[in-house]
Amino acid sequence: MTANGLEAVFLGNRDVLLRFLRARGGGDAAEDLLQELWLRASSADAGPIAEPLSYLYRIANNLMLDRHRSSVRAQRRDQDWSDSAGGTVPGVSDEPSAERALIARERLREAEAALAALGDRAATVFRRYRIEGVSQRDIAADLGISLSAVEKDLQKAYRAMIDLRRRDDAD
Amino acid sequence: MSRPHANIEEAAIGWIIRMRDPAFAGWDAFTLWLEEDPVHAAIYDELALADADAADVLAETEPVKPEPVAPPPPPRDPIPANDDKPERPRWATRRSMVGWAMAASLLGVASYTSLMPGSSPYAVETLAGQRQSVTLADGSRIDLNGATRLMLDRENPRFARLERGEALFSVVHDARRPFTVETGGATLVDAGTAFNVIRLDGMTEVSVSEGVVIYNPKVEKVTLAAGKVLRALDADGQIRVGNIDAGSVAAWKQGRLIYEGTPLSAVAADLSRNLGFGVTAGRDVAARPFSGVIQIEGDRERVRQRVSAVLGVPVDQAGGGWRLGADAAR
C-alpha cells in the first residue's frame, strides 16, 4: 500500500471514520480528530499495510485512548495538587524515584499473584495472548484446548488484571 | 464491589480482547456497540486504559533474548498495536522483540537462524476472502490469498515465511542469492520461478508453474519442475509428488477462496463481495466454522451447487441472492 493508496482509502472512508470518532466519544471535536488521525497515519512508516481501513480505525481508536489517558492524568494532577495543598497525602508525581521503583515492584508482584491465582493454564493463555501476541488459534493448538476454553480463560484473566489496575488507581 | 454496569463491562472486555488480535476486523460492529449508549465509550476507555497499564507492568517480567551485537531496528507490525504510544517507546520495542523471539522459537531452529541476525521482520496478513500483493525490493512479487499470514524481512528481500494460508511467489531469479521460502518447518529454494504454496491444517502443498523449486535442499532435496505438485503432511512426514496443470497453479487469483475455521456468516459475506450479489447465512448455520477452499468461477447455478456441496449446507435462492442454511438470516 503506497501513501497515495492509504490516502485514497482515508478519503473514501471519511464518513465511517468520522462516525466512529463521534461514537468513540469525540463529539463536536470529531472533525479535528479526523485531521489528527490522518496526520498520525501519514507520518507513520508502517511498511506494507494489508488492511488499510482497519489500520486507520486502529489509529483512530488509539488516538481516543491517548486522549482519555491525558485527561485522566490531568485530573489526577489536579487531585494531587489539592491533596497536597490540604496538607494530606503528597502527590504521586512528587515521590522520589526510589519510592516509585518500589511501587512498580509492588504492582508487579500483585499482578503476578493475581495471575497465579487464576491457575497455570489461564495465566499462560493470558501471557501468550496479551504479552507475546500469539493468536488464540495458535494458543489453543499449542495447549491442546478448544478455542472457547481460550476465550473463557482470556475473559477471566483480562477481568482480573483490569480489576487489579482499577483498585490500584483508586487507592 | 458492586457493578452497576457489569454487562457493559463484560462486553467492553470482549472488545478489548478481540482488538488485541492484529487481524481484528469488527470495526463496524464496534461502532454500532458504541452508538448504543455513550456510556459504552466511557467504560471501554476506562477498561482499555487499565488493560494497557496492566500489560506494561507485566511486560517487564518477560524474558528477553540477548540482543545481537548490532541491535536491529525494532520489528514493526504493519498494524499499530493497541498501546503503541509515543510516551513509551521502550515498552513498544521490548514487546515487539519478545513477540518476535517467541514466534521464532515456536518455529524451530531453522526459522530462527534465517531471520534473527540483523533481521527486521514484519508481517503481511490478509483476512478471509481478501487478497493482497506485495512487491519486494528485488522486484519479486508475492500474491497472498485470503486468511494468509506471511513474514518478510526488510533486511533480506530474498526471504519469506508462510505461516498459514496460500501465497503465489513470482520470483526474480538471482543465482547468487536464491529466494528462500520457509513453511511448516520445511525450506523451499527457488531456481527462477513462479510457484504457489499452501500451508493449512498441518499440510504443506507446493505447486510450480515456472522454473524449478527445491524442497528442503539440506534434507530430502526434492527438485520440483514446472507442472509438479508436492504435498507434505506433518502427521506422517511423508512427501508425495504429483503432476498438475502448470497453467492452473495460480487458479485462486481467478476465483478461489480459502478459509480456516471461518464462521459461515463471514464466508457468506466474502461470497457476497466476490460474486456481486447478496449471500446471507441463516441463523442455524451462521456460527458453523468452515475450513477449505471454494471455487467461485463459472456459471452461477454450478457455483451454487458447488458451494452447497463444499460447505455441506443447503444454498437456496432468496430475493436476488442466496441463503445458506434452512433458517432466515439474522
Side-chain angles (χ1 to χ4, degrees), chain B residues 29-213:
Chain B
F30 183 49
T31 305
L32 289 173
W33 179 75
L34 291 169
E35 284 174 344
E36 279 170 20
D37 187 336
V39 169
H40 290 185
I43 288 180
Y44 170 82
D45 262 335
E46 189 196 347
L47 299 190
L49 190 59
D51 166 58
D53 290 347
D56 276 5
V57 167
L58 282 167
E60 296 300 321
T61 67
E62 295 300 311
V64 176
K65 296 224 175 252
E67 292 189 19
V69 184
R76 293 197 55 131
D77 194 293
I79 295 158
N82 237 346
D83 31 28
D84 183 8
K85 298 176 295 290
E87 300 100 331
R88 272 177 290 184
R90 203 170 73 84
W91 149 236
T93 307
R94 276 184 76 125
R95 194 249 347 252
S96 311
M97 289 198 56
V98 169
W100 179 245
M102 187 66 218
S105 67
L106 286 176
L107 277 142
V109 180
S111 346
Y112 185 79
T113 48
S114 31
L115 263 172
M116 272 318 263
S119 70
S120 176
Y122 62 99
V124 183
E125 196 162 2
T126 56
L127 300 178
Q130 293 175 337
R131 305 209 183 124
Q132 162 93 359
S133 293
V134 182
T135 303
L136 302 176
D138 65 351
S140 295
R141 178 189 156 110
I142 306 172
D143 291 286
L144 284 75
N145 202 346
T148 296
R149 183 176 164 90
L150 191 71
M151 293 300 302
L152 298 170
D153 184 356
R154 261 179 240 294
E155 300 303 318
N156 178 10
R158 304 293 286 175
F159 173 84
R161 186 169 68 223
L162 181 67
E163 299 198 333
R164 64 167 180 273
E166 178 169 24
L168 175 70
F169 296 85
S170 308
V171 169
V172 174
H173 186 53
D174 179 348
R176 287 164 306 163
R177 294 190 72 197
F179 194 96
T180 302
V181 177
E182 285 180 5
T183 191
T187 302
L188 310 167
V189 177
D190 95 285
T193 303
F195 58 103
N196 192 69
V197 184
I198 301 178
R199 174 71 196 161
L200 204 64
D201 288 334
M203 185 275 296
T204 301
E205 181 190 286
V206 184
S207 36
V208 182
S209 66
E210 278 172 39
V212 174
V213 172

Side-chain angles (χ1 to χ4, degrees), chain A residues 6 19 35 37 40 60 62 67 79-80 88 104 136 152:
Chain A
L6 187 62
R19 178 176 163 186
Q35 292 311 309
L37 155 63
R40 281 196 188 193
N62 290 349
R67 261 168 59 102
Q79 183 66 36
D80 292 342
T88 51
Q136 294 190 30
K152 281 201 193 88

Side-chain angles (χ1 to χ4, degrees), chain A residues 19 24 48 50-51 54-55 57-58 61-62 69 108 127 129-130 132 137 159 163 165-166, chain B residues 3 9 17 19-21 27 35 44-46 51 61-62 80-83 85 125 130 164:
Chain A
R19 178 176 163 186
R24 194 62 187 70
E51 293 298 329
S54 203
Y55 173 78
Y57 266 117
R58 209 172 268 276
N61 197 53
N62 290 349
R69 188 192 311 275
L108 173 56
R127 274 182 194 283
Y129 186 72
R130 181 64 185 91
E132 293 163 6
R137 199 167 51 205
R159 171 99 256 168
D163 283 350
R165 294 303 320 149
R166 291 163 100 192
Chain B
R3 292 192 195 286
E9 289 193 358
I17 293 173
M19 282 158 75
R20 174 74 182 91
D21 187 338
W27 296 103
E35 284 174 344
Y44 170 82
D45 262 335
E46 189 196 347
D51 166 58
T61 67
E62 295 300 311
N82 237 346
D83 31 28
K85 298 176 295 290
E125 196 162 2
Q130 293 175 337
R164 64 167 180 273

Side-chain angles (χ1 to χ4, degrees), chain A residues 87-99:
Chain A
T88 51
V89 196
V92 174
S93 52
D94 294 334
E95 286 161 17
S97 61
E99 200 167 331

